Amino acid sequence: MSTTPELISPTFHYDSPAIVQREAGVKDYMAEYERSIADPDAFWAAEAANFTWTRKWDKVREWDGVHHKWFVGGKTNITLNALDRHAKSDRFNRVAYIWLGEDGSERVVTYGQLYRMVCRFANGLRSLGVGKGDRVVIYMPLTIEGVVSMLACARVGAIHSVVYAGLGHTALRDRITDAEAKVVIAGESGVRRGKPVPLKPIVDEAIDGLECVQHVVVVPRGTEKYEPKSAREVNYFELLKFSSECPAQEMDAEDPLFILYTSGTTGRPKGVVHVHGGYMVGTTYHLRTFFDVNPRDLFWCTSDIGWVVGNSYIVYAPLCAGVTTLFREGAIDWPDPGVAWKIVERYGVTKMFTAPTAIRMFMRYGEELPSAHDLTSLRVIACAGEPLNPEAWHWAQTYLAGDGKWGYVVDNWWQTELAAPTLGTPVTMPYRTGKAGIPLAGVVADVVDADGKPVGVNERGRLVLRGPFPHMMRTAWGDAARYERDWQQIEGAYVTGDVAIKDEHGYIAVLGRADDVLNVAGHRIGTAEVESALVSHPAVGEAAAIGIPDQLRGEVIKVFVLLRSGHNPSDALSAALIEHVRRELGPIATPSHLEFVTALPKTRSGKIMRRYLKAKETGQEIGDISTLEQ
Ligand code: AMP
């Protein structure tokens, strides 16, 4: 593998601002890291001891090189830690959430109130026969009710699977079917850019004829009234009329908490399974030590409960830590492009978690917007989801963090499979532009060649993690082999699917995926998903999808379409096909460009050579095409 000088040379070194270092909870991150690696069992046992367990574990870790278990024999329920610990103490009146709507509406929910809402709804779910191990799909806008739904499932031991409410009906149906969900909790509508986004019709289409779904709990919008449209529909508010006490179902540390579907290399979504015990311990640990969030902070996470960032850092970790979290439905630049900075100033946000695509958008709007507000409360702005380009980092560090006078912008890398930051720049350490950072506590990361041997400094290779940590995925729902494959390619290591470079300081730059997965505005989309959506249209014979670089969104999707005989290329057909993908998969997977072709480049074994299409499209070197059928 070769060095890539253009990616290495512009690295710029920036010291952690003095004020951030002074206030940081962990002053010496390397000492913390060394401790976590020297004796992982003792390290994670000490962390786990901060939580409520109804039975202590017998053994910290079991690992056979592929499967891992943590806090074996331990019993708890994550909601005992997320809710009871605060609601049943003198923290019961502490604010858990500040929720904001695009129209300026605000809801403040204390830990005591959240506890009661969750218990009521958990009793409501029990009245529908939902119990331990049942799967519940949640298709909701980013609202308090969405969070309550997740926690209520966890309370009764059901396994939730939140499906991002921007995904289309086929994507939703595939997930409901794969999880064999007994109940779907659905918002009637969401709001984006001032307009209502109807969700219920998408759910109706997704569950049409699906027998596994016994009930659809509908959350009406702007009213508590809802007339069920069929025998299986129930009004969410009818299910709140139960007792505000609901004993938590005792769960094994290894019992599944949720399934979150993500895109892999096949058309079928991958159901990543996370569990009650290790997930709770690990995600909460990194909130405190990496994001440096403590109960005195106001933490704003701009993600959505449909993504792993929202599961971990809007819901579970901040609640387990007893923190106040702000979240907001809708577009971050609506109704005006400066609204984010108004919010930071008005509420005094201290720590923020956002995505590079948002930073690039803010940069495009110009520094006048943040400069018109007092952002001096902001100590840490952490970004994840895709590479944080040096220009975007510079801009954010200058205009959002006052060039270090008050804050620090840091990158962090992880995946749905990993549940929490895995590589990152700790807030007390120097930033190196273009690099996500160093392996975080509990993580041994390496950049290797195809045989698993470490490549040299500044050489490209595959990013692998040597050994598990408590909050890593346990399996792929209904497809254990798919999970096992990621651990079986290189002995003792998990293959992340990303390509990376490690520099002489041990900082790692993550360059992108090694497989056929696209990253559009920080969201994973499989080329196979887009292609199968296209091929499901009667005019399409074959299709290939590639990602092409985009200044704002990181990557956008371009598709190449081979029509079936009897169909002719036209602008109208192109628009219809793009709309078809949007309906099937949702707005985030909508192709930006479509080209009709008369042939697709294929290998001799018949596989579409996307790499060839991509290289031609972006003007890169085509590389080895010896397997291309001429
Ligand atoms: P997801 O599972 O949807 O969170 O997507 C995870 C993928 O996003 C990773 O495998 C990377 O390809 C990419 N990614 C996430 N964070 C970063 C980052 N900080 N730098 C570069 N790529 C990232």
Side-chain angles (χ1 to χ4, degrees):
M1 299 213 183
S2 64
T3 25
T4 317
E6 73 278 14
L7 282 163
I8 301 158
S9 49
T11 297
F12 172 85
H13 169 115
Y14 187 96
D15 278 327
S16 160
I19 183 170
V20 176
Q21 295 201 43
R22 209 164 48 238
E23 290 182 10
V26 177
K27 302 276 189 256
D28 183 350
Y29 197 87
M30 287 320 289
E32 180 81 4
Y33 180 78
E34 296 303 336
R35 238 170 19 89
S36 77
I37 300 305
D39 188 349
D41 286 17
F43 179 83
W44 289 114
E47 280 309 312
N50 297 327
F51 292 81
T52 302
W53 298 82
T54 48
R55 182 184 186 280
K56 200 184 164 196
W57 58 91
D58 303 312
K59 203 169 166 200
V60 178
R61 171 178 59 158
E62 273 178 14
W63 182 40
D64 65 6
V66 174
H67 307 96
H68 59 112
K69 289 184 179 170
W70 291 82
F71 314 114
V72 185
K75 301 222 181 272
T76 186
N77 180 305
I78 196 166
T79 67
L80 291 176
N81 289 286
L83 297 171
D84 302 52
R85 270 202 305 174
H86 317 299
K88 302 273 161 160
S89 75
D90 56 7
R91 296 191 294 272
F92 77 106
N93 260 340
R94 178 180 287 167
V95 173
Y97 287 119
I98 300 173
W99 174 89
L100 302 176
E102 271 188 346
D103 62 358
S105 45
E106 179 199 84
R107 274 177 83 183
V108 175
V109 179
T110 65
Y111 276 92
Q113 290 171 318
L114 187 66
Y115 172 87
R116 291 195 296 276
M117 282 193 257
V118 170
C119 284
R120 287 205 170 95
F121 189 48
N123 282 322
L125 287 176
R126 277 197 176 134
S127 77
L128 297 179
V130 177
K132 188 172 174 184
D134 289 334
R135 273 82 59 205
V136 176
V137 162
I138 298 174
Y139 189 71
M140 294 272 289
L142 187 54
T143 53
I144 295 287
E145 285 72 25
V147 175
V148 169
S149 301
M150 294 163 72
L151 292 163
C153 288
R155 189 80 177 170
V156 302
I159 304 167
H160 63 70
S161 183
V162 184
V163 177
Y164 177 61
L167 296 190
H169 65 88
T170 306
L172 177 59
R173 187 184 181 89
D174 288 348
R175 287 156 176 74
I176 294 172
T177 312
D178 192 79
E180 290 177 277
K182 187 168 171 182
V183 169
V184 175
I185 306 174
E188 205 177 12
S189 59
V191 174
R192 195 159 175 92
R193 299 198 174 279
K195 292 200 199 92
V197 181
L199 299 175
K200 179 65 182 8
I202 298 174
V203 177
D204 289 340
E205 201 161 349
I207 61 167
D208 187 30
L210 280 191
E211 286 188 1
C212 64
V213 179
Q214 296 173 9
H215 299 284
V216 181
V217 179
V218 181
V219 187
R221 185 97 197 183
T223 165
E224 293 196 0
K225 294 203 171 60
Y226 179 78
E227 279 308 316
K229 308 279 181 294
S230 71
R232 60 178 171 178
E233 288 190 6
V234 197
N235 179 356
Y236 170 88
F237 291 99
E238 291 296 319
L239 295 179
L240 292 186
K241 294 184 176 152
F242 289 89
S243 154
S244 59
E245 286 296 336
C246 176
Q249 170 71 44
E250 184 176 73
M251 303 298 281
D252 193 275
E254 285 292 310
D255 278 332
L257 168 65
F258 66 84
I259 307 170
L260 196 61
Y261 286 92
T262 185
S263 298
T265 46
T266 69
R268 205 174 143 223
K270 173 177 177 187
V272 171
V273 175
H274 286 294
V275 299
H276 274 253
Y279 174 83
M280 149 183 105
V281 174
T283 57
T284 308
Y285 168 77
H286 286 295
L287 181 74
R288 175 169 57 81
T289 59
F290 177 72
F291 294 113
D292 196 31
V293 171
N294 290 292
R296 65 166 192 272
D297 282 308
L298 177 59
F299 178 53
W300 182 8
C301 179
T302 69
S303 186
D304 187 280
I305 51 170
W307 311 117
V308 68
V309 173
N311 277 258
S312 297
Y313 292 108
I314 292 177
V315 186
Y316 290 110
L319 293 179
C320 285
V323 162
T324 303
T325 303
L326 184 148
F327 66 102
R328 181 177 184 269
E329 183 184 9
I332 199 168
D333 59 340
W334 184 273
D336 76 79
V339 67
W341 316 124
K342 266 188 203 152
I343 291 171
V344 169
E345 178 173 338
R346 178 176 311 150
Y347 292 93
V349 174
T350 54
K351 309 280 158 75
M352 190 167 171
F353 186 0
T354 190
T357 185
I359 301 282
R360 290 193 296 265
M361 184 184 69
F362 295 138
M363 184 164 76
R364 218 176 41 153
Y365 284 129
E367 50 269 22
E368 298 73 27
L369 297 175
S371 301
H373 295 277
D374 179 355
L375 305 184
T376 54
S377 61
L378 267 181
R379 257 339 138 259
V380 176
I381 302 174
C383 293
E386 52 181 317
L388 178 59
N389 10 2
E391 314 72 56
W393 178 83
H394 264 293
W395 183 88
Q397 184 59 29
T398 308
Y399 299 108
L400 307 181
D403 194 16
K405 279 199 284 298
W406 63 78
Y408 196 21
V409 181
V410 293
D411 194 358
N412 62 117
W413 170 93
W414 41 299
Q415 308 176 305
T416 307
E417 291 85 341
L418 307 175
T422 302
L423 305 177
T425 305
V427 300
T428 51
M429 291 184 64
Y431 192 77
R432 298 181 58 75
T433 52
K435 313 286 153 89
I438 57 167
L440 298 179
V443 177
V444 180
D446 219 342
V447 180
V448 303
D449 64 16
D451 302 322
K453 293 203 191 66
V455 297
V457 165
N458 289 331
E459 281 184 21
R460 262 169 201 260
R462 309 208 283 170
L463 177 63
V464 299
L465 306 177
R466 298 200 187 274
F469 39 77
H471 44 290
M472 248 173 137
M473 79 183 281
R474 295 302 193 266
T475 187
W477 185 259
D479 193 354
R482 194 163 178 184
Y483 164 82
E484 286 158 6
R485 267 198 303 276
D486 291 338
W487 282 97
Q488 283 164 341
Q489 298 163 42
I490 294 171
E491 204 186 332
Y494 163 77
V495 176
T496 66
D498 281 354
V499 177
I501 288 180
K502 197 194 301 195
D503 73 9
E504 59 279 23
H505 305 277
Y507 276 55
I508 297 176
V510 179
L511 306 178
R513 302 285 304 181
D515 53 22
D516 290 329
V517 176
L518 311 172
N519 190 334
V520 179
H523 303 310
R524 252 156 88 173
I525 298 164
T527 51
E529 287 175 286
V530 180
E531 291 160 6
S532 358
L534 279 165
V535 174
S536 73
H537 189 283
V540 178
E542 245 187 320
I546 59 165
I548 51 176
D550 178 78
Q551 289 233 317
L552 190 63
R553 296 201 281 167
E555 265 187 326
V556 292
I557 303 173
K558 171 155 187 179
V559 293
F560 298 84
V561 172
L562 199 90
L563 291 174
R564 285 176 185 230
S565 56
H567 296 273
N568 296 314
S570 69
D571 288 349
L573 182 57
S574 173
L577 293 178
I578 289 174
E579 182 52 29
H580 177 72
V581 178
R582 168 192 280 272
R583 271 175 52 76
E584 294 275 314
L585 300 179
I588 54 164
T590 307
S592 301
H593 311 278
L594 184 148
E595 187 177 325
F596 292 109
V597 291
T598 50
L600 286 171
K602 291 207 179 146
T603 62
R604 283 178 206 155
S605 61
K607 285 194 176 149
I608 297 172
M609 231 193 205
R610 295 182 191 81
R611 180 162 62 78
Y612 180 83
L613 290 169
K614 184 163 177 156
K616 279 187 71 168
E617 195 62 39
T618 54
Q620 289 164 352
E621 226 179 279
I622 291 178
D624 175 23
I625 51 165
S626 54
T627 58
L628 185 72
E629 186 153 40
Q630 303 288 345

